[in-house]
Structure formats: structure tokens, C-alpha cells
Amino acid sequence: MPHPHPTARPRPTPRLRRTVLTGLVTALLTSLAAPAAHTAPLPPAPAAAPRAPYTCTGDQWPWGCVAECESGGNWHINTGNGFYGGLQFWQPTWVGFGGLEYAPRADLATRAEQIAVAGEVLAVQGWSAWPVCSKRYGLSGRMHTVKRGDTLSSLARKYGVQGGWQAFHAANEKTLGDHPDRLLIGMLLVIPKNSGRAQDPLGHVPAVFGPPLTAAPTLPIPR
């Protein structure tokens, strides 16, 4: 009696093999990717940067804003009120802080020359020399304008900073970062509060600047 032949199984077609293989690969990749997606989600999209409330912040901050406040940004203004130029120098202040090196009056000097003289005031008296405008823009304290040849060590000696150049650097770490030797001409550096007084050409007589010629609402400067 002949033995029955086993039922022949159909051979998978090439198309079926490709479908099965694709399914296996997809399942494998999905299983591998799932934990990574759980442990490391995509970061959220960055939020749009807020707009500055003052357009003057892009005009050689902060001097452009102080001039905007004091004189409407007119660096050669002379209204006859006894105060001159973009920052509204009182004439004795202009003379006492070296302005005659540039021009007889502030309004006759260039913008850069007025800022240079104002920088000398800033080192002695700080932003309080412009009480209304400094409050408007959140400016406070004394600052040094970097000049050619300045180093943190020389500035610490000049202002008698306790703790030397390291303390001067700590007060300006946000500006200088980890590079205390990278001083740029014109850069404004905070003079630490525990420092001595800079040489005052007016003999401790306060520098005087005129009141703002135009009124403007007080708005916060973005930090």
C-alpha cells in the first residue's frame, strides 16, 4: 500500500518575503526608538525675543539714550538755557573735565568728543550726574571708559580697588567673561563700590547737567 505524500506547503513569493522583512525591520526600529524618545524629548521652540521699549538702545548704548532723554538726541543743541550739547553740559563742568581740549562749548564739539568728556564725569560721579535720565534707563554707579593701555591691574591701582584686579574682574564678569585681558577701547567697566575716588578736576564740586528738554514716559529696559 503506497505511503501518502505529505501535503506540499506553498513557497512564499518574493513579494511576500519583502513584506514580512519590511514589517520586522519596522517593528525593530520602533522598539529601539521608543525609549530614546521617552528619555530625550525634543526641546521646545525658542520664544521670540521681546522688542526693546526704546529704539535708542541700539545707538551706542547707553549714551544714545541719555542724549535722547536730555536733548532729544540733538548733539549740537544750544537753547540759551546755559546747558549745551547732546548731554546738556553746564559750561563749568565742560571746562573742568577737559572739554576745552576739543571745543569752547559742548555743542561745538563732536558727539564722540562729548561722550569722551562725559566718560570722565562718569568715572568720578557716576550716572547720578544725570539723575532724571539715569533713573529712566536704570543706570547707576560709577563706570570707567577703557582707554588704550588700560589693564585690570592698572585700573585696580587707579581706583584703589580692594582685592586688586581680581575684584575688578568679578565686578565685570558679565562683560568680560573668562577673559580679563580682553579690554576693548571704549568699553564701559563697572568701578567696584569699595574703590577709592577717582581724581576730581572740580575738587569735589558736583558736575552739573541740564534737566531733560523733553518729557518721556519711564519704561523698563530689558535685561
Side-chain angles (χ1 to χ4, degrees), residues 33-163:
H38 177 72
T39 57
L42 292 175
R51 294 183 62 185
Y54 294 103
T55 57
C56 61
T57 54
D59 181 21
Q60 196 178 355
W61 167 259
W63 293 117
C65 283
V66 176
E68 181 70 27
C69 170
E70 285 282 341
S71 64
N74 186 342
W75 289 89
H76 301 290
I77 194 168
N78 176 7
T79 64
N81 66 351
F83 301 97
Y84 306 96
L87 303 173
Q88 288 292 277
F89 277 90
W90 185 43
Q91 184 63 12
T93 298
W94 177 255
V95 174
F97 282 86
L100 294 182
E101 177 183 345
Y102 304 111
R105 294 194 316 264
D107 61 303
L108 302 176
T110 67
R111 168 183 171 140
E113 291 166 348
Q114 292 178 52
I115 291 175
V117 179
E120 299 301 318
V121 176
L122 184 59
V124 173
Q125 195 166 324
W127 290 113
S128 62
W130 298 269
V132 175
C133 297
S134 62
K135 182 178 180 180
R136 178 177 298 173
Y137 300 118
L139 301 168
S140 62
R142 296 160 56 205
M143 303 191 80
H144 173 84
T145 305
V146 174
K147 302 175 181 62
R148 188 180 303 277
D150 280 347
T151 65
L152 290 188
S153 295
S154 66
L155 295 180
R157 290 192 298 270
K158 176 178 180 176
Y159 294 107
V161 177
Q162 298 178 18

Side-chain angles (χ1 to χ4, degrees), residues 4-63:
H5 292 284
T7 303
R9 297 180 180 178
R11 299 182 62 185
T13 64
R15 181 177 181 181
L16 179 60
R17 286 198 297 269
R18 286 197 300 272
T19 301
V20 173
L21 181 60
T22 300
L24 290 174
V25 171
T26 301
L28 178 61
L29 292 177
T30 301
S31 64
L32 291 175
H38 177 72
T39 57
L42 292 175
R51 294 183 62 185
Y54 294 103
T55 57
C56 61
T57 54
D59 181 21
Q60 196 178 355
W61 167 259
W63 293 117

